Amino acid sequence: MALCVSQNHLVRDGRHFFWLADTCWSAFTNISEGEWQEYLDIRAKQRFNVLQINTLPQWDRCGTGQPWQPFPLLEDGMRYDFSTLRQDYFDRAQRMCRAAVDRGFTLALVVMWCNYVPDTWASKIYSGNIIPEERVEPIVRAICESFNEFEPVYLVSGDTGFDSEASIARYRLVTDLVDRYAPGALKAYHIKGRYDGLPQEFGERADLYLYQSGHNAAAQGMCHQLAEHFTARSPRRPVINSEPCYEQMGYSHKLYGRFRRPETRSALWNSLLAGACAGITYGAHGVWNWWIPGQPKNPIGGEGFLQAQPHQAALRFPGAADFAFARQFFEERAITAVQPCQEVLVQYGESIRAARAGDALLLYVPTSAPLALHGDWSGYTATAIQLDGDGRTALSLAYREGVTELEMHPYYDDALIVLEKA
């Protein structure tokens, strides 16, 4: 059964569906079918249930010696002849999708990444593969006719902003074509990092809101700020951070440094507890772009992130377990909505994330410290969950003069604290 929307959350087969996605943008061009089976095995064991894939070649993927292209390449080896569609590419992609769906994965397929669209940030960097307007319809039709049987969510855009009439007009056309050739399919827009400018006309046509907090080390506050923005939008939709910082991704703007497991875990919980609780997306640097040592470098370097780990290593980065735990936590407690409540915190309100989930209070605490909460919470139990291990610790609560003092958790790193009625 296809994915459905129910208020703030998603439903599949009549049950709450927590979107736990992996970004494997370059799957159809870079991954052999043998590697694909291994990839599906690993991600299934890690409890992922959604795969975000670009239907057309990812412009900043790693180099590959493989021949899988949807269009013939011109003599320069970079530009495409969009007048011809290669059916063998779509046949192979269909086989990969069928294998994924048979393993229980939902597909989230990008229709048109921003480098194929006029007047976007990416097509200004390299304009050689802007799709001519007269070729948009046959390409979108081929995408929908190839993949409709798998009941995907179509991500109309990829990594885009809507900052010019040319880009808006092109995505309006693509949206119309998806509606024509995939009637009834869920749609969303994957937008660029740190961006809240989804036009209202596209918000009204989206079935869920996706945002990207991104890979800028100085802007990780966007995890919660964009969650707050999109949960406040009308019409209401489920909200997902569909591209938080990737594990081992280099900082954007070519700064020295990488996002490691603690940073990706922080992005995860700061997104979920700020209202983007329909799910979360994970990324591993080396998987999304599928790096194989010895392959030629892609001449388009994107934002110039540091070299990736080989995909075999990236598939086993430890941070994937943190995202799987979040899915388990939300599903076991049947949490389909949260209500951010920063006002409960007496101090540290910029660093700690607080949200109500039904009768429970959830606190994401990056650092161990005694906490003070407004109000009387003495009738609750408090449990600290160690996020980089298996620890569970009961914490004491003491109320006086309008404030509840909460004992600090005993763990070296961050924790999730759950207050529940005794």
Side-chain angles (χ1 to χ4, degrees), residues 371-413:
L371 298 180
L373 306 176
H374 290 293
D376 184 359
W377 296 89
S378 60
Y380 284 66
T381 62
T383 304
I385 300 173
Q386 184 183 24
L387 293 176
D388 66 343
D390 298 322
R392 299 289 188 276
T393 301
L395 304 178
S396 64
L397 295 161
Y399 173 74
R400 66 174 181 278
E401 298 180 358
V403 172
T404 299
E405 299 290 339
L406 175 62
E407 178 188 9
M408 77 177 189
H409 72 76
Y411 305 120
Y412 184 82
D413 286 312

Tab-separated table of all heavy atoms in Angstrom, residues 371-413:
chain	number	residue	atom	x	y	z
A	371	LEU	N	19.208	20.834	35.710
A	371	LEU	CA	18.261	21.657	34.968
A	371	LEU	C	17.165	22.153	35.885
A	371	LEU	O	16.818	21.498	36.881
A	371	LEU	CB	17.635	20.868	33.825
A	371	LEU	CG	18.571	20.345	32.737
A	371	LEU	CD1	17.781	19.587	31.690
A	371	LEU	CD2	19.346	21.488	32.105
A	372	ALA	N	16.600	23.299	35.528
A	372	ALA	CA	15.453	23.854	36.238
A	372	ALA	C	14.321	24.011	35.235
A	372	ALA	O	14.512	24.551	34.132
A	372	ALA	CB	15.819	25.192	36.865
A	373	LEU	N	13.129	23.540	35.639
A	373	LEU	CA	11.957	23.594	34.779
A	373	LEU	C	10.870	24.425	35.454
A	373	LEU	O	10.615	24.269	36.656
A	373	LEU	CB	11.413	22.186	34.512
A	373	LEU	CG	12.398	21.152	33.963
A	373	LEU	CD1	11.710	19.801	33.846
A	373	LEU	CD2	12.955	21.587	32.625
A	374	HIS	N	10.248	25.296	34.702
A	374	HIS	CA	9.104	26.026	35.235
A	374	HIS	C	7.962	25.057	35.523
A	374	HIS	O	7.677	24.153	34.735
A	374	HIS	CB	8.626	27.079	34.227
A	374	HIS	CG	9.568	28.236	34.065
A	374	HIS	ND1	9.813	29.147	35.074
A	374	HIS	CD2	10.315	28.633	33.000
A	374	HIS	CE1	10.680	30.058	34.634
A	374	HIS	NE2	11.007	29.760	33.389
A	375	GLY	N	7.304	25.253	36.674
A	375	GLY	CA	6.148	24.442	37.004
A	375	GLY	C	6.472	23.283	37.913
A	375	GLY	O	7.634	23.009	38.241
A	376	ASP	N	5.409	22.591	38.302
A	376	ASP	CA	5.524	21.461	39.231
A	376	ASP	C	5.517	20.155	38.442
A	376	ASP	O	4.485	19.725	37.936
A	376	ASP	CB	4.356	21.495	40.214
A	376	ASP	CG	4.462	20.396	41.268
A	376	ASP	OD1	5.431	19.604	41.223
A	376	ASP	OD2	3.572	20.328	42.127
A	377	TRP	N	6.676	19.519	38.368
A	377	TRP	CA	6.827	18.245	37.669
A	377	TRP	C	7.081	17.106	38.657
A	377	TRP	O	7.517	16.020	38.274
A	377	TRP	CB	7.977	18.323	36.669
A	377	TRP	CG	7.731	19.315	35.573
A	377	TRP	CD1	8.048	20.641	35.576
A	377	TRP	CD2	7.095	19.062	34.322
A	377	TRP	NE1	7.653	21.241	34.404
A	377	TRP	CE2	7.066	20.283	33.601
A	377	TRP	CE3	6.549	17.919	33.720
A	377	TRP	CZ2	6.508	20.397	32.333
A	377	TRP	CZ3	5.997	18.032	32.448
A	377	TRP	CH2	5.976	19.263	31.768
A	378	SER	N	6.771	17.350	39.923
A	378	SER	CA	7.076	16.347	40.954
A	378	SER	C	6.237	15.084	40.816
A	378	SER	O	6.600	14.046	41.368
A	378	SER	CB	6.917	16.950	42.350
A	378	SER	OG	5.581	17.400	42.543
A	379	GLY	N	5.128	15.168	40.102
A	379	GLY	CA	4.298	13.984	39.892
A	379	GLY	C	4.729	13.160	38.688
A	379	GLY	O	3.984	12.271	38.253
A	380	TYR	N	5.914	13.444	38.180
A	380	TYR	CA	6.433	12.739	37.015
A	380	TYR	C	7.670	11.925	37.398
A	380	TYR	O	8.348	12.230	38.378
A	380	TYR	CB	6.839	13.732	35.912
A	380	TYR	CG	5.678	14.327	35.149
A	380	TYR	CD1	4.766	15.177	35.773
A	380	TYR	CD2	5.495	14.050	33.807
A	380	TYR	CE1	3.700	15.728	35.075
A	380	TYR	CE2	4.444	14.600	33.086
A	380	TYR	CZ	3.548	15.433	33.732
A	380	TYR	OH	2.491	15.977	33.030
A	381	THR	N	7.933	10.902	36.606
A	381	THR	CA	9.230	10.220	36.675
A	381	THR	C	10.117	10.778	35.571
A	381	THR	O	9.630	11.170	34.506
A	381	THR	CB	9.079	8.707	36.485
A	381	THR	OG1	8.538	8.438	35.185
A	381	THR	CG2	8.173	8.115	37.553
A	382	ALA	N	11.406	10.815	35.815
A	382	ALA	CA	12.359	11.312	34.825
A	382	ALA	C	13.389	10.225	34.543
A	382	ALA	O	13.992	9.682	35.477
A	382	ALA	CB	13.045	12.583	35.325
A	383	THR	N	13.578	9.925	33.261
A	383	THR	CA	14.544	8.914	32.841
A	383	THR	C	15.481	9.522	31.812
A	383	THR	O	15.033	10.124	30.830
A	383	THR	CB	13.846	7.698	32.217
A	383	THR	OG1	12.900	7.165	33.152
A	383	THR	CG2	14.857	6.632	31.837
A	384	ALA	N	16.775	9.371	32.040
A	384	ALA	CA	17.779	9.800	31.066
A	384	ALA	C	18.172	8.611	30.199
A	384	ALA	O	18.527	7.552	30.722
A	384	ALA	CB	19.000	10.375	31.765
A	385	ILE	N	18.109	8.792	28.886
A	385	ILE	CA	18.485	7.758	27.928
A	385	ILE	C	19.821	8.152	27.314
A	385	ILE	O	19.942	9.216	26.695
A	385	ILE	CB	17.421	7.602	26.836
A	385	ILE	CG1	16.072	7.219	27.461
A	385	ILE	CG2	17.859	6.570	25.797
A	385	ILE	CD1	14.920	7.208	26.471
A	386	GLN	N	20.809	7.320	27.490
A	386	GLN	CA	22.132	7.574	26.918
A	386	GLN	C	22.066	7.383	25.413
A	386	GLN	O	21.678	6.328	24.920
A	386	GLN	CB	23.154	6.616	27.525
A	386	GLN	CG	24.577	6.848	27.080
A	386	GLN	CD	25.523	5.803	27.659
A	386	GLN	OE1	25.100	4.700	28.001
A	386	GLN	NE2	26.792	6.153	27.753
A	387	LEU	N	22.452	8.390	24.651
A	387	LEU	CA	22.310	8.336	23.204
A	387	LEU	C	23.538	7.771	22.499
A	387	LEU	O	23.465	7.434	21.313
A	387	LEU	CB	21.974	9.724	22.655
A	387	LEU	CG	20.589	10.247	23.073
A	387	LEU	CD1	20.375	11.664	22.565
A	387	LEU	CD2	19.478	9.329	22.588
A	388	ASP	N	24.671	7.678	23.194
A	388	ASP	CA	25.841	7.037	22.585
A	388	ASP	C	26.137	5.704	23.250
A	388	ASP	O	27.257	5.212	23.229
A	388	ASP	CB	27.066	7.955	22.655
A	388	ASP	CG	27.534	8.195	24.083
A	388	ASP	OD1	26.750	7.931	25.019
A	388	ASP	OD2	28.679	8.644	24.268
A	389	GLY	N	25.106	5.112	23.842
A	389	GLY	CA	25.259	3.825	24.515
A	389	GLY	C	23.898	3.275	24.887
A	389	GLY	O	22.871	3.690	24.340
A	390	ASP	N	23.872	2.354	25.845
A	390	ASP	CA	22.631	1.678	26.222
A	390	ASP	C	22.141	2.060	27.609
A	390	ASP	O	21.253	1.398	28.163
A	390	ASP	CB	22.835	0.161	26.176
A	390	ASP	CG	23.192	-0.331	24.780
A	390	ASP	OD1	22.632	0.214	23.815
A	390	ASP	OD2	24.044	-1.228	24.665
A	391	GLY	N	22.688	3.109	28.199
A	391	GLY	CA	22.335	3.448	29.563
A	391	GLY	C	20.933	4.002	29.719
A	391	GLY	O	20.414	4.706	28.851
A	392	ARG	N	20.310	3.677	30.855
A	392	ARG	CA	19.029	4.249	31.267
A	392	ARG	C	19.159	4.570	32.749
A	392	ARG	O	19.508	3.688	33.554
A	392	ARG	CB	17.865	3.274	31.063
A	392	ARG	CG	17.635	2.837	29.623
A	392	ARG	CD	17.067	3.965	28.781
A	392	ARG	NE	16.677	3.507	27.461
A	392	ARG	CZ	17.493	3.389	26.429
A	392	ARG	NH1	18.793	3.656	26.588
A	392	ARG	NH2	17.062	2.998	25.247
A	393	THR	N	18.890	5.796	33.142
A	393	THR	CA	19.063	6.210	34.531
A	393	THR	C	17.870	7.034	34.979
A	393	THR	O	17.459	7.985	34.296
A	393	THR	CB	20.342	7.064	34.701
A	393	THR	OG1	21.475	6.301	34.272
A	393	THR	CG2	20.529	7.475	36.146
A	394	ALA	N	17.310	6.671	36.155
A	394	ALA	CA	16.253	7.480	36.758
A	394	ALA	C	16.869	8.719	37.391
A	394	ALA	O	17.906	8.636	38.070
A	394	ALA	CB	15.498	6.663	37.795
A	395	LEU	N	16.252	9.866	37.181
A	395	LEU	CA	16.737	11.125	37.728
A	395	LEU	C	15.744	11.646	38.758
A	395	LEU	O	14.522	11.482	38.621
A	395	LEU	CB	16.909	12.173	36.615
A	395	LEU	CG	17.814	11.786	35.438
A	395	LEU	CD1	17.846	12.909	34.406
A	395	LEU	CD2	19.224	11.450	35.918
A	396	SER	N	16.258	12.308	39.772
A	396	SER	CA	15.393	12.836	40.829
A	396	SER	C	14.833	14.194	40.421
A	396	SER	O	15.439	14.952	39.658
A	396	SER	CB	16.171	12.975	42.135
A	396	SER	OG	17.217	13.918	41.995
A	397	LEU	N	13.647	14.500	40.960
A	397	LEU	CA	12.964	15.769	40.728
A	397	LEU	C	12.614	16.378	42.082
A	397	LEU	O	12.150	15.670	42.990
A	397	LEU	CB	11.680	15.556	39.925
A	397	LEU	CG	11.829	15.036	38.485
A	397	LEU	CD1	10.512	14.451	38.003
A	397	LEU	CD2	12.265	16.163	37.566
A	398	ALA	N	12.823	17.679	42.229
A	398	ALA	CA	12.493	18.360	43.493
A	398	ALA	C	11.823	19.693	43.162
A	398	ALA	O	12.398	20.519	42.444
A	398	ALA	CB	13.747	18.583	44.332
A	399	TYR	N	10.617	19.907	43.687
A	399	TYR	CA	9.851	21.114	43.376
A	399	TYR	C	9.822	22.065	44.558
A	399	TYR	O	9.611	21.659	45.694
A	399	TYR	CB	8.410	20.737	43.012
A	399	TYR	CG	7.507	21.938	42.849
A	399	TYR	CD1	7.613	22.750	41.724
A	399	TYR	CD2	6.573	22.251	43.830
A	399	TYR	CE1	6.794	23.857	41.574
A	399	TYR	CE2	5.742	23.355	43.686
A	399	TYR	CZ	5.867	24.162	42.555
A	399	TYR	OH	5.056	25.273	42.424
A	400	ARG	N	10.044	23.349	44.282
A	400	ARG	CA	9.788	24.386	45.285
A	400	ARG	C	9.690	25.739	44.580
A	400	ARG	O	10.399	26.029	43.615
A	400	ARG	CB	10.890	24.423	46.347
A	400	ARG	CG	12.270	24.838	45.889
A	400	ARG	CD	13.222	24.970	47.093
A	400	ARG	NE	14.542	25.393	46.684
A	400	ARG	CZ	15.485	24.597	46.209
A	400	ARG	NH1	15.228	23.297	46.107
A	400	ARG	NH2	16.670	25.063	45.839
A	401	GLU	N	8.745	26.536	45.067
A	401	GLU	CA	8.565	27.928	44.640
A	401	GLU	C	8.461	28.073	43.124
A	401	GLU	O	9.086	28.921	42.504
A	401	GLU	CB	9.706	28.800	45.172
A	401	GLU	CG	9.768	28.837	46.691
A	401	GLU	CD	10.912	29.719	47.195
A	401	GLU	OE1	11.658	30.262	46.363
A	401	GLU	OE2	11.031	29.863	48.428
A	402	GLY	N	7.630	27.215	42.519
A	402	GLY	CA	7.320	27.357	41.108
A	402	GLY	C	8.315	26.749	40.147
A	402	GLY	O	8.136	26.835	38.929
A	403	VAL	N	9.383	26.151	40.678
A	403	VAL	CA	10.422	25.597	39.813
A	403	VAL	C	10.739	24.162	40.243
A	403	VAL	O	10.830	23.869	41.441
A	403	VAL	CB	11.708	26.446	39.863
A	403	VAL	CG1	12.842	25.767	39.109
A	403	VAL	CG2	11.451	27.833	39.274
A	404	THR	N	10.903	23.271	39.258
A	404	THR	CA	11.314	21.893	39.522
A	404	THR	C	12.783	21.736	39.170
A	404	THR	O	13.203	22.051	38.048
A	404	THR	CB	10.472	20.901	38.699
A	404	THR	OG1	9.100	21.031	39.053
A	404	THR	CG2	10.930	19.466	38.961
A	405	GLU	N	13.562	21.272	40.143
A	405	GLU	CA	14.984	21.001	39.922
A	405	GLU	C	15.142	19.555	39.451
A	405	GLU	O	14.659	18.622	40.098
A	405	GLU	CB	15.781	21.215	41.215
A	405	GLU	CG	15.712	22.632	41.774
A	405	GLU	CD	16.466	23.631	40.917
A	405	GLU	OE1	17.353	23.195	40.137
A	405	GLU	OE2	16.169	24.832	41.016
A	406	LEU	N	15.823	19.409	38.324
A	406	LEU	CA	16.033	18.093	37.723
A	406	LEU	C	17.504	17.715	37.842
A	406	LEU	O	18.389	18.455	37.414
A	406	LEU	CB	15.608	18.124	36.248
A	406	LEU	CG	15.858	16.880	35.389
A	406	LEU	CD1	15.090	15.680	35.922
A	406	LEU	CD2	15.475	17.155	33.939
A	407	GLU	N	17.736	16.570	38.444
A	407	GLU	CA	19.102	16.075	38.606
A	407	GLU	C	19.791	15.932	37.254
A	407	GLU	O	19.166	15.563	36.256
A	407	GLU	CB	19.042	14.715	39.301
A	407	GLU	CG	20.391	14.031	39.510
A	407	GLU	CD	20.242	12.614	40.036
A	407	GLU	OE1	19.100	12.099	40.083
A	407	GLU	OE2	21.276	12.010	40.407
A	408	MET	N	21.096	16.211	37.201
A	408	MET	CA	21.797	16.076	35.929
A	408	MET	C	22.002	14.603	35.589
A	408	MET	O	22.118	13.748	36.477
A	408	MET	CB	23.131	16.816	35.949
A	408	MET	CG	24.267	16.150	36.686
A	408	MET	SD	25.792	17.144	36.508
A	408	MET	CE	26.995	16.027	37.217
A	409	HIS	N	22.048	14.329	34.288
A	409	HIS	CA	22.246	12.941	33.872
A	409	HIS	C	23.733	12.562	34.030
A	409	HIS	O	24.608	13.431	34.042
A	409	HIS	CB	21.754	12.727	32.436
A	409	HIS	CG	22.600	13.343	31.362
A	409	HIS	ND1	23.800	12.812	30.959
A	409	HIS	CD2	22.405	14.435	30.575
A	409	HIS	CE1	24.309	13.534	29.985
A	409	HIS	NE2	23.483	14.543	29.726
A	410	PRO	N	24.041	11.259	34.148
A	410	PRO	CA	25.404	10.836	34.474
A	410	PRO	C	26.293	10.536	33.265
A	410	PRO	O	27.415	10.072	33.446
A	410	PRO	CB	25.168	9.543	35.260
A	410	PRO	CG	23.948	8.955	34.619
A	410	PRO	CD	23.085	10.124	34.242
A	411	TYR	N	25.817	10.826	32.047
A	411	TYR	CA	26.536	10.349	30.870
A	411	TYR	C	27.539	11.379	30.362
A	411	TYR	O	27.383	12.580	30.548
A	411	TYR	CB	25.544	9.957	29.768
A	411	TYR	CG	24.547	8.952	30.263
A	411	TYR	CD1	23.178	9.227	30.246
A	411	TYR	CD2	24.976	7.734	30.790
A	411	TYR	CE1	22.264	8.313	30.733
A	411	TYR	CE2	24.066	6.808	31.279
A	411	TYR	CZ	22.711	7.100	31.252
A	411	TYR	OH	21.810	6.198	31.749
A	412	TYR	N	28.550	10.870	29.696
A	412	TYR	CA	29.655	11.708	29.231
A	412	TYR	C	29.204	12.675	28.144
A	412	TYR	O	29.653	13.817	28.085
A	412	TYR	CB	30.773	10.810	28.695
A	412	TYR	CG	32.017	11.528	28.270
A	412	TYR	CD1	32.980	11.913	29.202
A	412	TYR	CD2	32.246	11.825	26.930
A	412	TYR	CE1	34.127	12.578	28.803
A	412	TYR	CE2	33.396	12.483	26.536
A	412	TYR	CZ	34.335	12.859	27.471
A	412	TYR	OH	35.486	13.518	27.082
A	413	ASP	N	28.300	12.196	27.260
A	413	ASP	CA	27.853	13.030	26.135
A	413	ASP	C	26.368	13.353	26.297
A	413	ASP	O	25.888	13.509	27.409
A	413	ASP	CB	28.139	12.316	24.815
A	413	ASP	CG	29.625	12.328	24.471
A	413	ASP	OD1	30.238	13.411	24.553
A	413	ASP	OD2	30.165	11.266	24.108
